[in-house]
Amino acid sequence: GGIITQTPKFLIGQEGQKLTLKCQQNFNHDTMYWYRQDSGKGLRLIYYSITENDLQKGDLSEGYDASREKKSSFSLTVTSAQKNEMAVFLCASSSRGLAEQFFGPGTRLTVL
Amino acid sequence: GDSVTQKEGLVTLTEGLPVMLNCTYQTIYSNAFLFWYVHYLNESPRLLLKSSTDNKRTEHQGFHATLHKSSSSFHLQKSSAQLSDSALYYCALRANYGNEKITFGAGTKLTIKP
């Protein structure tokens, strides 16, 4: 088996601040994802990456940057935190093809 | 673009009654893959069911679903709800093989009462 870790578990920032969330997986999966979870809106894809140094925009990429410097890690940066984006951010990974996604425990973002 | 619709945001049922959570999808591709994920409180979302075969029932942990491409549906069912089924359920779509993008629905929060 494997595991996905997300750091930090809780992130508190000021409005306008640049904030970074980190995700690590030891499944040796090719593809990694960042989702934002808002109540009533489901999981919305921010960025995904199919291999090291690859980045693909999701439906909610505006206001975010991502980085996949290693196969095992995928970072998400909130470029300028806003109060309306307080949410839980979930990282996931999967192997190619018809494969299930494995999710991390999430990072809860609060913007003051 | 691709989309997944889960009409019911909240479903509350009494223990022992049947469960049916609706999921419909839109995509231009004919070989779509559909998934149901379950998210229990204080845990990570995990896969419950998946299917890419038209009109074939797939089952896991007492839940079942059948992909109907003619109606673009993949409804989740269980014959008898248990208290432990209370969770958030997401329907998700992978539009075609080789496309790594997965689109989720808005989710249905299922609450089972005694």
Side-chain angles (χ1 to χ4, degrees):
Chain A
I3 192 167
I4 296 179
T5 55
Q6 291 187 238
T7 54
K9 189 171 181 179
F10 299 96
L11 181 55
I12 301 174
Q14 301 289 328
E15 200 166 19
Q17 191 176 359
K18 185 175 175 180
L19 302 166
T20 298
L21 294 70
K22 295 185 183 293
C23 177
Q24 297 263 353
Q25 54 97 0
N26 64 359
F27 288 99
N28 199 33
H29 284 160
D30 293 303
T31 311
M32 295 186 73
Y33 305 80
W34 276 108
Y35 290 94
R36 180 174 146 176
Q37 183 181 40
D38 296 272
S39 178
K41 294 184 180 176
L43 298 178
R44 290 184 288 172
L45 183 63
I46 305 172
Y47 271 97
Y48 66 106
S49 166
I50 64 173
T51 189
E52 187 178 323
N53 293 319
D54 173 74
L55 288 176
Q56 311 274 344
K57 289 185 178 181
D59 301 318
L60 203 65
S61 61
E62 191 172 331
Y64 302 94
D65 286 328
S67 173
R68 182 95 183 269
E69 293 166 350
K70 293 190 300 183
K71 186 176 182 179
S72 61
S73 66
F74 194 30
S75 298
L76 180 72
T77 297
V78 181
T79 56
S80 177
Q82 303 298 315
K83 287 193 176 179
N84 63 1
E85 66 189 329
M86 291 196 291
V88 174
F89 291 81
L90 288 167
C91 176
S93 71
S94 71
S95 55
R96 295 281 186 94
L98 179 55
E100 69 179 281
Q101 288 179 305
F102 292 85
F103 285 84
T107 292
R108 183 174 292 277
L109 174 65
T110 301
V111 182
L112 302 176
Chain B
D2 303 324
S3 66
V4 175
T5 301
Q6 293 180 250
K7 284 186 179 176
E8 311 103 349
L10 296 168
V11 172
T12 302
L13 291 170
T14 302
E15 189 178 16
L17 290 181
V19 177
M20 180 158 170
L21 306 184
N22 289 303
C23 173
T24 56
Y25 64 93
Q26 282 191 313
T27 179
I28 62 171
Y29 298 99
S30 60
N31 57 344
F33 302 115
L34 273 295
F35 305 83
W36 275 102
Y37 282 84
V38 58
H39 191 184
Y40 294 103
L41 192 63
N42 298 323
E43 294 184 13
S44 302
R46 58 178 172 83
L47 181 70
L48 182 58
L49 292 171
K50 65 181 181 183
S51 181
S52 61
T53 307
D54 199 11
N55 297 317
K56 183 180 176 183
R57 175 172 162 144
T58 182
E59 299 188 38
H60 187 59
Q61 294 185 328
F63 287 90
H64 62 92
T66 303
L67 177 59
H68 292 295
K69 293 188 179 183
S70 60
S71 58
S72 298
S73 67
F74 190 56
H75 305 320
L76 182 67
Q77 299 183 70
K78 188 177 185 185
S79 58
S80 176
Q82 297 177 291
L83 295 175
S84 57
D85 294 329
S86 295
L88 190 51
Y89 291 81
Y90 290 108
C91 184
L93 163 72
R94 186 190 293 258
N96 64 317
Y97 191 87
N99 184 349
E100 300 299 307
K101 181 180 179 182
I102 298 179
T103 301
F104 281 78
T108 298
K109 184 177 180 181
L110 177 65
T111 302
I112 307 299
K113 294 187 171 180

